[in-house]
Amino acid sequence: MTFTTGQRVRIVACEDDPRAAGRTGRIVDEVPPSVLTGGRWTVHGVGLLIGPVLCHAHELRPA
């Protein structure tokens, strides 16, 4: 699945930080993920004590 910059997403699971599961945030990537991020999308605004997280596309749903 492809997402766009600023799109709100719901995190259904997150290998990078399991505390993010069940929360919503915004995609910050301007291009699809590459090898540098291991094919994961960067999601920001998940929570006050949770920084940006990296999630695979199958761990995200449009909000």
Side-chain angles (χ1 to χ4, degrees):
M1 180 175 282
T2 300
F3 299 100
T4 58
T5 303
Q7 181 177 356
R8 289 190 53 79
V9 293
R10 179 169 175 81
I11 302 169
V12 295
C14 184
E15 184 180 320
D16 186 44
D17 190 341
R19 299 176 300 160
R23 297 176 180 257
T24 58
R26 294 189 187 280
I27 298 291
V28 296
D29 301 304
E30 294 184 8
V31 296
S34 66
V35 177
L36 182 63
T37 62
R40 298 175 293 178
W41 292 93
T42 307
V43 183
H44 183 63
V46 177
L48 185 62
L49 299 176
I50 302 173
V53 293
L54 297 172
C55 299
H56 293 281
H58 68 272
E59 298 175 322
L60 302 172
R61 300 290 180 268

